[in-house]
Amino acid sequence: MKPVDVKTTVTTTPTTVSAKASVSFPLFGYVLKRILIFLPTLFVISLVTFILIAAAPGDPAESMLNRSAGEGQASDKLAGDQAYRELRTKLGLDLPVFYFSLGSAASCDTINRIAKSDHRETLERMTYRYGNWPQISSYYYAVNDMELASLQIKKDSANAVPLSKLREITALFYLQDKENDIQGLLGEYTKSMGHPSLASLQAPFQKVQTAFAAVKSNTTVYKRFIPALHWNGQQNQYHRWLFGRAAWLGTEEDPNKAKGFIRGDFGISFFAKRPVSSMIWDSIGITMLISVLVILLEYLLAIPLGVNSAIRKGSKFDSTVTTVLFMLYSLPSFWIGTLAIFFLCGGDYLNIFPPYWMSDVTWDDGFLLKLGDLAYHLILPLLVATYGGFAFLTRQMRGSMVNVLRQDYIRTAFSKGLDDKTVFWSHAFRNSLLPIITIFASVFPALISGAIILEFLFTIPGLGQVTYAAVLQKDYPVILTNTMFAAILTLVGYLVADILYAVVDPRISYTSAKK
Amino acid sequence: MKGLRKILIVAIALLAVTSCGKKKSKNEVRIHALSDTDMLNPTNYQSAEAQYYIGQMFQSLWSVNPHNLQLEPIIAKALPEEVYDSSKGLLTYTFEIREEAKWDNGTPITPDDIAFTFKMYKAPVLNNEQNRPYFELVDDIITYPDNARKMTIVCNKKYILAKSTAGGIFVMPRYIYDPKHLMDKISLRDINTKFKEVEQNADMKAFAAEYNSEKFQREKGFIVGSGPYEFEEWVTGQRVVLKKKKNWWGEKYANETLFMAGPDKLIYTVVKDQTAALTALKGEKLDVMNGIKSKDFIEQLKTSDKVKEKFNLETPSSMAYTYFGMNLRNPKFEDVRVRRALSHLVDVEKIIHVIGYDLGKRVNGPVNPYKKGAFNDTITSYDFSVDKAKKLLADAGWKDSDGNGTIDKMVNGQKVEFNITFTYNAGNDSRRDAALIFKEAARQAGINVDVVPQEWSIYIQNQKKHNFEMFYGSWIGGTTPDDPKQIWHTESINGGSNYVYFGNQESDKLIDAIRGELREDVRNDLYRKLQVLIHNEAPYIFIWSPLERIAISKRFTGVQTSIVRPGFYENEFKMAQ
């Protein structure tokens, strides 16, 4: 739960010190402007996330079908391939990623339609070698037909050996991109075709031969040096995710069509197969509750402690606090969490807290009971989530306060004869808050990432667990929605921090400077 | 201040109440689950958890008894009559539904319900892609006007798994899942022959939108089967609770294993973190935990008198085995003598003892010893012997010609040093440790082994693309007859799981014969031959079959372990007096 991205210096040049910060109407314009800037920022974030996800290794459709590789029965190859193709189409994975793709003139613009990832790779290599995607693509479909033909032949004891051999060779066509290797396969194929029951393979085989000859004779290798931009139109994954496929006007007849992110339809999870919005709705409450409590606790404890140890800088109190805080800060929370569960949750030692989220109390059972139950389950996770950030914040608060106390105006205040309390809390404190506010901006996203460990450890059914599972399973719609959500939170965090600057520091103002 | 103190006192009192209020006197079983289920729809589900929970609420036509591994009838009155018509190539299963078999609303289970269920497994637009391919072989349903409970399932090929697949469906009540009768006009035959047309059918689309929705995944009243337990509650990420039905039709068969339903409630409780789960177990907040890490099982549970007083610690065999796979098309492993030599270099006993805490059995091939007829007990595993390995390697032409300590050989005019890159999935430390034991022994024979971790998806992808030299893998078998095609047939080299390029005409022929052989004794002979063949070719170095590690509370009696996952059968549990 440690804030990661911390900017400790705020560069504002104090020019004219206006008497009061104006946090009234003009601020509204500023906020509006900032919110308008959010939109392109979010667009870029969604795009980057989308491209990163698409580029990551692994194929969600494949892992969905082989749910536990090797378990149980070997499914029929044809049926399996068909289910795989349909699933890819259903999930939209057969579409290009974005409106346009950059590449060379030789590159293949329809490659995403090829179902298997290893086939795609072979074809990409082949296109690089020969530079003529149209020919290569028809060669590929010829091999497809040949495979289909060989799978349709009924195997009996007479043709079993050559047929198996042929099927094996056919499969190898999908992996070879070099001329010699393919010629070798063609040669081997001819050798095994002798059996009369395999006559139906003659025609498709010939088609493969001619298609490959066409690939060889029409090489346009030079094309791979010409950059090109392929326009994919609206039929792309990003468009579909953003805008959906359902009709915009009138009623959509097919209830299975999605509406798209922009219309508040976050899609269907690949794995849970339920709307992402309802998955998030189920899990966000507890995560937000913990996050808000953690932030509150951290700040409420860290600010007074930091200020006090800055005031008593060098005292025994200060050095004790410093030592303890450094120790706390350096203890990883997953380790402390594990230790806490081991010693405090009713194993071999004390039985004070629950080892996992075992609540079966609902709000209907009574408000107080539910509250007590929540507290019972939350105390340990909160402690584990808070101490690290608390230690860090206290150090920041102390450091910034110490800096302020060195300033001339503090000395002036003392020499005016003001008492300690007024100087520390009215003059120094407010000015020392800026770095803490900066940290606040990054607290939200840090909490969401921290929630993953915390929720795993204590089996808290929150957003962190949903995100973690989605990443492991390559559940694109869930990952995307959660990333967008974290991005919005981060942006809001920065906005809130900027507004707080103005509240705290009179020198910072967002009104257009009229002097 | 006073108010605050009051609240504190109330909170502490509540803490005390909630933490020690529950006395474990109820006839409920709390079973640990490592992860949550994805849904509870009987044909759209994907996770193993889902299959397990659905199996408690829904029933099959016939299924495997977890103790003797024999098929036994459930909804069917008796096991079906199996007929193969060789002229048409059709395999049929004819049976009658039990007279008493009823849905919760009192209406009988009919052949229409069963036909509807098959449609759910096979229809387009539904989210059933991961289960659909298995049912490719179910071609048609025949009903009989003169007998409303009799029916025939027609399969389009002679296949050893046809019987268990056709009978293993979770039979669904049509009145719950299709109250609007949208699927009535779409027959199983239509789906099989006019798939693309059905896909565009308006009724089909409307039905799919309902059937794929959250309602049929997780809502009470929409997950209804004929099994002994009904759906009570699913708190996402926390638990699934199933409650025993009152006046359930199967009660009169309660002494048959597959009809047993001892506990009043089954509570499948998700605890993600292993330490937390173990702590919860010790504190008796969980009654059953399986898949406990060997280290924890031995060091934390077996040694604790407190634990042994409250729990039975069980270690039944499992259907899984682990192996080192070699790439047979890599010039280093092409020669069978080299593969045998490497087999002699793996000290399996040491791996089981040191890394597996002796919680495992050595395996000599892909068939589990539990499958008695099929298992070939005459095969002796390759013994650990560096000398034998050295001799075999020398015979194959691998010698240390340059005196650098590593053996080498001229391959295609180039000198190749015997270095092996050995991959395993990152994070699996016991696999890494086993590989290191192998590395040490290989060093004595002049072979360098480089042990490399790979992230799971990359590790799997590399196997599919045959992009490896040696890797540590594992397989889990089922209770149905093994179909060796997926792993051992040459047609499975691409698109299947024959990562190591195993196979020749003889093995392919054996596998094809096994798949179509419905007579068990003849099939068993073929299995035994195939095992000898695999043993001699040594494409895998077979390591061990781990034992399950299970703790079951002594609150229950009647506990029998089983080789079938998860290793116990909670329906048999009875409260101890």
Side-chain angles (χ1 to χ4, degrees), chain B residues 148-408:
Chain B
R149 296 200 313 275
K150 189 178 169 187
M151 69 183 294
T152 298
I153 302 170
V154 183
C155 298
N156 58 18
K157 66 178 170 195
K158 195 174 163 194
Y159 182 38
I160 43 169
L161 292 176
K163 194 173 181 177
S164 48
T165 304
I169 52 169
F170 294 125
V171 179
M172 299 160 73
R174 211 163 43 132
Y175 76 93
I176 295 277
Y177 286 88
D178 187 16
K180 293 179 198 154
H181 293 274
L182 290 169
M183 291 298 287
D184 283 8
K185 285 192 208 110
I186 302 165
S187 71
L188 189 61
R189 191 93 220 122
D190 290 342
I191 293 171
N192 281 332
T193 52
K194 296 183 281 191
F195 193 82
K196 289 279 161 205
E197 263 173 60
V198 175
E199 202 170 14
Q200 297 306 323
N201 184 309
D203 277 353
M204 186 70 234
K205 281 183 184 170
F207 175 79
E210 278 277 297
Y211 187 76
N212 289 341
S213 73
E214 280 192 285
K215 195 164 84 176
F216 288 111
Q217 293 175 355
R218 45 176 58 236
E219 271 178 36
K220 211 172 167 174
F222 297 95
I223 299 156
V224 180
S226 59
Y229 288 92
E230 64 185 350
F231 178 60
E232 161 127 332
E233 149 182 72
W234 172 14
V235 189
T236 313
Q238 293 179 39
R239 65 184 173 272
V240 169
V241 183
L242 308 180
K243 200 174 82 183
K244 192 174 166 180
K245 284 178 189 166
K246 290 193 179 94
N247 301 322
W248 174 55
W249 74 269
E251 260 159 27
K252 70 184 262 200
Y253 299 101
N255 50 4
E256 284 182 32
T257 309
L258 294 178
F259 281 87
M260 282 183 181
D264 292 335
K265 258 187 195 177
L266 305 174
I267 306 169
Y268 299 98
T269 313
V270 180
V271 185
K272 294 254 173 176
D273 186 66
Q274 282 274 353
T275 311
L278 271 181
T279 309
L281 183 81
K282 287 180 193 164
E284 289 188 277
K285 285 160 186 134
L286 293 172
D287 295 316
V288 183
M289 181 171 171
N290 72 326
I292 302 168
K293 283 185 184 151
S294 301
K295 187 175 192 289
D296 296 338
F297 192 77
I298 296 296
E299 290 176 1
Q300 285 198 39
L301 301 185
K302 276 265 181 187
T303 51
S304 159
D305 290 334
K306 227 170 103 191
V307 170
K308 279 194 281 187
E309 197 180 291
K310 295 182 209 155
F311 290 94
N312 286 312
L313 301 174
E314 307 282 357
T315 53
S317 305
S318 75
M319 286 278 186
Y321 70 85
T322 71
Y323 62 92
F324 295 173
M326 289 170 273
N327 191 330
L328 269 54
R329 298 225 176 130
N330 183 306
K332 283 178 234 167
F333 305 105
E334 258 173 356
D335 191 323
V336 66
R337 285 170 297 188
V338 171
R339 301 199 295 270
R340 287 181 189 164
L342 291 171
S343 305
H344 281 299
L345 287 175
V346 183
D347 191 346
V348 175
E349 306 301 336
K350 190 173 168 186
I351 291 176
I352 294 175
H353 179 66
V354 177
I355 293 155
Y357 293 81
D358 285 322
L359 293 172
K361 287 181 196 153
R362 183 167 193 171
V363 287
N364 66 4
V367 176
N368 194 294
Y370 226 83
K371 296 189 168 167
K372 285 202 179 74
F375 174 69
N376 192 333
D377 54 2
T378 61
I379 295 171
T380 25
S381 302
Y382 294 96
D383 55 325
F384 174 63
S385 162
V386 179
D387 293 335
K388 282 185 190 168
K390 278 182 178 164
K391 192 175 172 302
L392 281 164
L393 286 166
D395 290 350
W398 291 91
K399 292 187 182 77
D400 186 9
S401 65
D402 49 10
N404 66 353
T406 306
I407 53 172
D408 51 68

Side-chain angles (χ1 to χ4, degrees), chain A residues 427-470:
Chain A
H427 289 72
F429 174 62
R430 196 163 166 179
N431 287 312
S432 65
L433 277 178
L434 284 183
I436 300 287
I437 291 171
T438 315
I439 294 169
F440 181 77
S442 54
V443 150
F444 266 111
L447 276 176
I448 289 188
S449 55
I452 292 179
I453 296 171
L454 191 76
E455 289 176 8
F456 184 86
L457 216 51
F458 293 95
T459 319
I460 300 169
L463 203 57
Q465 276 206 33
V466 172
T467 313
Y468 179 65

Side-chain angles (χ1 to χ4, degrees), chain B residues 503-548:
Chain B
N504 49 39
Q505 291 183 8
E506 201 187 341
S507 63
D508 282 356
K509 219 165 125 183
L510 267 174
I511 293 167
D512 288 335
I514 287 173
R515 282 162 58 84
E517 183 54 68
L518 299 174
R519 290 164 298 176
E520 197 178 342
D521 48 336
V522 181
R523 191 168 68 224
N524 284 344
D525 282 345
L526 298 173
Y527 276 128
R528 295 157 74 93
K529 275 187 196 148
L530 182 67
Q531 286 163 76
V532 174
L533 224 145
I534 292 172
H535 176 76
N536 291 339
E537 281 292 311
Y540 281 8
I541 303 171
F542 291 92
I543 310 294
W544 67 318
S545 171
L547 300 178
E548 260 295 351

Side-chain angles (χ1 to χ4, degrees), chain B residues 64-75:
Chain B
V64 171
N65 179 322
H67 298 309
N68 61 19
L69 302 192
Q70 296 299 311
L71 282 178
E72 286 176 10
I74 303 177
I75 289 179

